[in-house]
């Protein structure tokens, strides 16, 4: 995504095409957007590695399901969870995800929790 604008801009300059303005716009928009996605992916990868290294098995029970509008076109569901496990203090949190027909209140899911940071991953 980061290279889309610069490649289009370079092609426009070399070919003499009239895509120069589009190349500039794509560069200005997609380079920061691509860098933001890249940074978010790096952070998510670090969290998952930490959970794999020190995570404790837990159970996440669904306590609430609430629909919400994710991006104007898509809708999702905010899943209320009560996370508990041996050696962990029970806590409640919200997990936002896309709709799935198997999700229902009372369903117990497998989870992994980082006891020091409170981060968790639901295995679904």
């Amino acid at each position: 995504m980061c290279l889309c604008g610069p490649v289009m801009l370079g092609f426009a300059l070399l070919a003499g095409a009239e895509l120069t303005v589009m190349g500039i716009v794509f560069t200005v928009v997609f380079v920061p957007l691509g860098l933001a996605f890249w940074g978010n992916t790096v952070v998510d990868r670090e969290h998952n590695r930490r959970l794999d290294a020190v995570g404790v098995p837990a159970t996440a029970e669904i306590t609430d399901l609430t629909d919400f509008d994710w991006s104007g076109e898509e809708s999702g569901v905010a899943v209320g969870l009560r996370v508990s496990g041996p050696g962990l203090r029970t806590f409640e949190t919200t997990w936002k995800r896309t709709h799935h027909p198997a999700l229902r209140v009372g369903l117990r899911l497998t989870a992994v929790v980082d006891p020091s940071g409170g981060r968790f991953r639901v295995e679904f």
Side-chain angles (χ1 to χ4, degrees), residues 4-118:
C4 179
V7 167
M8 184 182 281
L9 183 59
F11 175 75
L13 293 175
L14 292 176
E18 297 191 12
L19 296 175
T20 306
V21 173
M22 286 299 282
I24 292 169
V25 170
F26 274 39
T27 300
V28 168
V29 171
F30 285 131
V31 168
L33 190 61
L35 291 173
F37 284 151
W38 186 5
N40 188 34
T41 301
V42 168
V43 169
D44 285 347
R45 186 175 296 148
E46 288 175 13
H47 292 164
N48 281 320
R49 284 185 180 147
R50 174 125 176 107
L51 283 170
D52 290 340
V54 300
V56 175
T59 302
E61 180 182 357
I62 297 177
T63 58
D64 185 37
L65 294 171
T66 307
D67 292 333
F68 73 96
D69 189 23
W70 209 324
S71 63
E73 295 178 13
E74 286 186 52
S75 62
V77 63
V79 181
L81 297 173
R82 181 178 303 117
V83 182
S84 60
L88 294 174
R89 194 181 84 231
T90 300
F91 64 94
E92 294 195 10
T93 187
T94 302
W95 175 42
K96 292 185 177 179
R97 57 159 292 128
T98 56
H99 282 283
H100 193 280
L103 294 175
R104 66 184 186 291
V105 174
L107 180 66
R108 293 178 180 263
L109 303 169
T110 305
V112 178
V113 178
D114 177 359
S116 64

